[in-house]
Amino acid sequence: MPERSSAVRFEEIALPHLPAAYNLARWLVRNDQDAEDVVQEAYLRAFKFFAGYRGGEGRTWLLTIVRNTCYTWLQRNRARELMDSIDDAPEDVTAEFANPESRLLQDADAQMVRAALAELPLEFREVTVMRELEGLSYKEIATIADLPVGTVMSRLARGRKRLHSLLAARMGIEKKGGAA
């Protein structure tokens, strides 16, 4: 049986993860066209260095390349975004919208969540997107972001806290109590 070509193997490993790659890039660079460009560049990089791929989880490998390509792109085009503060946000409060009869409100809520997520500093936004939208494990996020698992957990907790504060402000919910 002849050995499969490198291009065929690359397609089998990388193409199934194109939606996740685009989603991550879209949230990191916050623009559809820029995300498309970044993903295209990331796939070109991945293909160029595919000979160095040693197996393992293809999604993690590819999203690492996408993330690094996003950061390179941001460094060249929007260096200021990389400097945004990631100071802690106010306390965490849980809110659930489980009423199935309120589809219209849920759609509005989803739009509000997306807008608030887009406002998060990059360090929080990337781990939140990878965990909540892409369903990656803490270990996978740590590998992709080249961070210790504890840092991933901390950024995720702080990002969720900040997201909650942004949503509470949009909904006009006043904080009860005092400590920040």
Side-chain angles (χ1 to χ4, degrees):
M1 174 179 229
E3 186 175 320
R4 290 178 299 161
S5 75
S6 181
V8 170
R9 283 189 55 235
F10 178 78
E11 287 178 8
E12 290 173 350
I13 291 169
L15 288 184
H17 308 297
L18 186 58
Y22 175 76
N23 193 39
L24 178 60
R26 172 65 183 87
W27 281 106
L28 294 183
V29 301
R30 296 192 271 194
N31 177 284
D32 292 334
Q33 290 76 28
D34 294 337
E36 289 171 2
D37 292 344
V38 166
V39 169
Q40 182 176 9
E41 184 177 337
Y43 269 73
L44 288 172
R45 286 181 183 183
F47 185 70
K48 180 179 179 181
F49 297 103
F50 188 61
Y53 175 66
R54 301 288 178 235
E57 178 57 47
R59 183 165 97 161
T60 302
W61 171 77
L62 184 66
L63 291 182
T64 300
I65 295 169
V66 170
R67 179 196 180 265
N68 291 340
T69 304
C70 284
Y71 272 84
T72 299
W73 186 92
L74 286 168
Q75 189 73 38
R76 280 189 307 231
N77 297 287
R78 294 191 217 141
R80 188 180 65 87
E81 284 189 37
L82 296 174
M83 305 283 213
D84 284 350
S85 172
I86 59 171
D87 295 336
D88 233 345
E91 65 201 54
D92 189 24
V93 177
T94 303
E96 291 190 28
F97 303 99
N99 184 351
E101 299 170 359
S102 61
R103 180 70 182 156
L104 182 59
L105 289 175
Q106 289 176 348
D107 289 345
D109 291 342
Q111 192 171 15
M112 189 181 347
V113 169
R114 284 191 299 272
L117 183 58
E119 289 183 34
L120 289 178
L122 184 59
E123 291 86 353
F124 295 157
R125 192 170 61 242
E126 75 173 342
V127 297
T128 303
V129 166
M130 285 190 269
R131 178 70 181 159
E132 304 302 341
L133 301 182
E134 292 304 324
L136 295 171
S137 70
Y138 294 145
K139 184 177 178 184
E140 289 170 319
I141 296 168
T143 299
I144 292 166
D146 193 26
L147 295 169
V149 172
T151 301
V152 169
M153 293 169 67
S154 172
R155 286 186 182 179
L156 189 56
R158 293 173 68 196
R160 286 173 175 158
K161 212 184 246 190
R162 175 81 58 96
L163 187 60
H164 175 268
S165 293
L166 290 167
L167 291 170
R170 287 173 186 265
M171 294 170 30
I173 298 172
E174 296 293 321
K175 279 180 31 176
K176 294 178 182 164

